């Protein structure tokens, strides 16, 4: 051991990086407020310690556990979204419930109740989608429901985008989104699924091809523009844009 850094060969490179950055087992254990024996027994940094180790060593989480890259990315996005939701609720005082009506409230003239935060998040998603597509909020909200077949209108496309943002980013229940837009939950789920597929691409493709509905098609790459737009939306929710 040189300079207090343990270099036992059965440790994964990510743990070795963390130990080097912290200047040894004891130093890392002290920063984590755990016993040195615990750190000594690690072959790798445990999943539930990755972000904490990253914080105290200054390393990126993916440098510590590159094998968890997808999970780490999802966890980081989730944390960002939850903070944005909280800031959005506080800034707009969205506490309580509201009575809203939709095209599905034919038999319920008194409307349905909805959390004010959910209503605010859906409205924010519609405003954002409308702005991104050069439309007005009214055009998106009043887009015809449409039927099977045929290309969607710009307003329908923007509505699908808004619903996806509300579900994926805003964490609003799909049934709640469906109720406000007067659509079925399946329609909202389908929109969110299409959005995620376009955003993330076909990560499970083999030889550049995927099988979809029994047919082979060329794999699609992740869309960086959707990722960038999603971050702009989150920044708006957090009041940082």
């Amino acid at each position: 051991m040189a300079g207090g850094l343990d270099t036992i060969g059965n440790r994964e490179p990510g743990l070795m990086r963390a130990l080097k950055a912290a200047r040894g087992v004891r130093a890392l254990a002290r920063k984590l407020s755990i016993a040195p024996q615990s750190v000594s027994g690690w072959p790798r940094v445990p999943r539930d310690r990755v972000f904490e180790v990253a914080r105290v060593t200054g390393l990126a989480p993916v440098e510590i556990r590159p094998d968890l890259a997808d999970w780490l990315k999802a966890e980081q996005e989730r944390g960002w979204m939850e903070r944005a939701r909280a800031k959005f609720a506080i800034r707009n005082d969205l506490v309580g419930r509201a009575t809203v009506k939709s095209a599905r409230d034919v038999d319920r003239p008194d409307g349905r109740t909805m959390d004010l935060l959910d209503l605010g998040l859906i409205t924010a998603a519609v405003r954002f989608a409308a702005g991104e597509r050069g439309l007005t909020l009214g055009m998106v909200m009043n887009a015809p429901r449409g039927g099977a077949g045929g290309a969607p209108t710009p307003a329908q496309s923007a509505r699908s985008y808004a619903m996806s943002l509300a579900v994926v980013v805003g964490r609003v229940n799909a049934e709640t989104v469906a109720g406000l837009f007067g659509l079925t939950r399946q329609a909202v789920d389908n929109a969110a699924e299409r959005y995620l597929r376009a955003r993330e691409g076909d990560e499970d493709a083999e030889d550049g091809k995927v099988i979809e509905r029994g047919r082979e098609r060329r794999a699609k790459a992740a869309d960086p523009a959707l990722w960038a737009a999603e971050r702009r939306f989150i920044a708006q929710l957090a009041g940082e844009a």
Side-chain angles (χ1 to χ4, degrees):
M1 187 165 72
L5 177 62
D6 195 336
T7 57
I8 296 176
N10 64 348
R11 290 192 171 114
E12 291 189 354
L15 175 56
M16 296 303 295
R17 293 188 192 100
L19 291 174
K20 182 177 180 180
R23 303 190 65 80
V25 169
R26 290 184 178 278
L28 180 58
R30 185 168 57 253
K31 291 174 184 292
L32 298 174
S33 299
I34 60 177
Q37 293 87 340
S38 297
V39 176
S40 294
W42 290 350
R44 67 188 66 84
V45 175
R47 179 191 294 248
D48 60 356
R49 291 281 186 179
V50 174
F51 287 105
E52 189 178 6
V53 171
R55 179 177 58 80
V56 301
T57 61
L59 296 171
V62 74
E63 292 182 274
I64 298 169
R65 288 292 301 271
D67 59 308
L68 297 178
D70 290 341
W71 178 80
L72 290 170
K73 183 177 181 180
E75 285 298 299
Q76 288 171 317
E77 291 292 335
R78 184 174 296 112
W80 192 12
M81 292 173 189
E82 291 304 323
R83 288 193 295 274
R85 275 173 52 94
K87 288 183 178 180
F88 182 71
I90 293 170
R91 283 192 301 111
N92 294 280
D93 193 26
L94 296 175
V95 179
R97 301 182 72 82
T99 299
V100 297
K101 293 185 178 181
S102 78
R104 298 177 68 193
D105 289 326
V106 177
D107 298 323
R108 298 181 58 185
D110 57 336
R112 65 185 68 229
T113 60
M114 180 185 298
D115 285 339
L116 282 174
L117 177 56
D118 285 346
L119 181 59
L121 287 164
I122 295 171
T123 302
V126 174
R127 289 186 187 280
F128 181 82
E132 290 281 300
R133 305 295 171 85
L135 304 172
T136 66
L137 185 146
M139 292 169 68
V140 178
M141 290 298 299
N142 297 317
R145 281 187 269 182
T153 66
Q156 288 173 324
S157 178
R159 180 181 61 197
S160 293
Y161 182 34
M163 294 191 302
S164 301
L165 288 175
V167 172
V168 176
V169 180
R171 304 285 198 247
V172 181
N173 184 278
E175 185 66 35
T176 300
V177 176
L180 185 63
F181 282 98
L183 301 172
T184 64
R185 173 167 185 158
Q186 188 62 53
V188 177
D189 286 339
N190 289 345
E193 183 180 347
R194 288 193 300 271
Y195 170 77
L196 288 172
R197 191 184 307 133
R199 188 191 71 178
E200 298 173 4
D202 296 306
E203 296 182 346
D204 57 349
E206 295 184 8
D207 299 324
K209 298 177 181 178
V210 295
I211 303 298
E212 185 175 75
R213 297 178 182 176
R215 293 186 177 183
E216 185 179 86
R217 66 167 174 80
R218 183 177 299 176
K220 297 178 181 177
D223 189 341
L226 287 178
W227 280 107
E230 186 171 299
R231 284 174 169 78
R232 289 197 301 274
F233 177 56
I234 295 171
Q236 283 189 15
L237 291 181
E240 298 169 356

